[in-house]
Amino acid sequence: MKPALSFQEGPKPLSWQQFPHGDYLRADIERKMEQWLPRMFGYHMLKLGNLSGELNTSISTIKHQVCVAEPGPYTGVVADIDELPFYEHSIDACILSHCLEYHSDPHHILREAHRTLIPGGYIVVTGFNPFSLCGLAQMLPFSGQKLPWTGRFFTPARVKDWLNLLGFEIVSDERFIYSSLARGNRLSRFEFWRTFAKQYLKPMGSVYMLVARKRVAPLTPIKPKWHARPQFAPVKGAGLRQTSKHHYKTCDQENNTNCIK
């Protein structure tokens, strides 16, 4: 298993047009997100990365949407997506479209998204599935330094493990686009294969989409066990004085001497 942390970064995509069949890829992701965007409520939505900023999310009820990425036509805040300049628990929804593959520390990106999300907030993660035709094409000589194969493809199961460790609840896991996405590959040529794969080979979709929700367990106060203090019993000093006087009197009667009083 390849480590999540890597200091060797390849070319990053700044637009969907840099991918083979990029417009088709973006349109299919938007279609899959349409069923989830109306379920996300709140005031602020973050789109991490230039690709996320180009996605059409106008059907969402969250009106204030900000793209955090490198300078671009859709960028609202220029910052690193693994060091978000936002307060903790201040964002209602977060979208990461093909971000984890092209950054050195994908786990840290998810930690930052988890930090900024409110309890109950949604996160949507899309990426390329290594166990697919697109993932197999990464091992071919022609892929080299070409997008999208310059990134590190992580399995959906591994990304779900990262989300579970951070405290997310996986709500949906979908695979789609049954094609190698090669530039010279006509999508209509493999219509029979796509129909067969959708029915019998669903886990082999070239793109996956994970929808998760942040869960925060409430703190249960533990009631202290109060112990009743023992009742205070005062010393009966009067009884002692009476005993002393009785002793002195006895001393006088027996010895006929003066005793110290």
Side-chain angles (χ1 to χ4, degrees):
M1 180 182 296
K2 65 182 71 174
L5 179 63
S6 175
F7 297 100
Q8 297 179 356
E9 296 184 8
K12 298 179 182 178
L14 301 179
S15 175
W16 290 101
Q17 280 68 32
Q18 295 181 262
F19 286 143
H21 311 287
D23 293 332
Y24 171 78
L25 183 61
R26 181 186 61 181
D28 216 5
I29 292 176
E30 291 175 348
R31 182 175 59 85
K32 292 294 183 180
M33 291 177 57
E34 286 180 354
Q35 58 179 324
W36 292 103
L37 291 177
R39 306 183 188 184
M40 303 176 186
F41 300 96
Y43 301 97
H44 310 289
M45 174 186 287
L46 275 188
K47 298 180 178 181
L48 302 184
N50 297 88
L51 299 181
S52 302
E54 292 186 9
L55 293 177
N56 183 11
T57 56
S58 58
I59 64 173
S60 174
T61 57
I62 303 176
K63 299 307 178 182
H64 184 233
Q65 303 179 7
V66 180
C67 175
V68 180
E70 298 180 11
Y74 297 93
T75 303
V77 176
V78 178
D80 294 330
I81 63 175
D82 57 352
E83 295 291 342
L84 298 177
F86 301 103
Y87 288 114
E88 185 177 358
H89 302 162
S90 60
I91 304 300
D92 300 282
C94 186
I95 297 178
L96 291 85
S97 186
H98 295 77
C99 294
L100 305 181
E101 297 98 323
Y102 303 100
H103 288 81
S104 60
D105 195 352
H107 197 193
H108 188 61
I109 296 176
L110 294 178
R111 284 199 299 267
E112 276 292 283
H114 179 270
R115 180 185 65 82
T116 58
L117 278 176
I118 65 171
Y122 283 89
I123 183 173
V124 181
V125 182
T126 65
F128 292 109
N129 182 15
F131 298 139
S132 64
L133 290 179
C134 182
L136 294 176
Q138 193 177 28
M139 297 183 294
L140 298 177
F142 73 85
S143 60
Q145 293 296 317
K146 297 181 181 179
L147 291 171
W149 300 282
T150 57
R152 296 177 298 146
F153 294 177
F154 300 102
T155 63
R158 190 174 183 185
V159 179
K160 286 194 293 184
D161 287 340
W162 293 343
L163 294 173
N164 287 325
L165 288 175
L166 291 173
F168 284 100
E169 177 189 359
I170 307 300
V171 180
S172 174
D173 178 6
E174 294 188 64
R175 319 288 167 83
F176 49 97
I177 303 184
Y178 297 88
S179 171
S180 63
L181 297 176
R183 189 172 298 276
N185 182 8
R186 293 184 180 181
L187 297 177
S188 59
R189 185 181 302 175
F190 297 93
E191 185 64 31
F192 173 77
W193 162 254
R194 291 202 304 272
T195 303
F196 177 81
K198 286 180 182 179
Q199 187 172 2
Y200 299 103
L201 300 174
K202 290 184 178 181
M204 292 188 62
S206 295
V207 179
Y208 67 86
M209 186 180 76
L210 301 176
V211 182
R213 197 171 186 184
K214 181 179 178 179
R215 294 296 188 189
V216 177
L219 297 178
T220 304
I222 300 176
K223 296 181 179 180
K225 296 181 180 180
W226 299 100
H227 297 282
R229 293 183 178 180
Q231 296 182 355
F232 177 72
V235 179
K236 297 181 180 180
L240 294 176
R241 287 195 295 271
Q242 293 176 0
T243 305
S244 300
K245 292 180 179 179
H246 178 72
H247 174 73
Y248 297 155
K249 291 179 181 179
T250 306
C251 180
D252 292 340
Q253 293 175 358
E254 295 180 353
N255 300 326
N256 294 326
T257 60
N258 294 328
C259 295
I260 299 176
K261 296 184 179 179

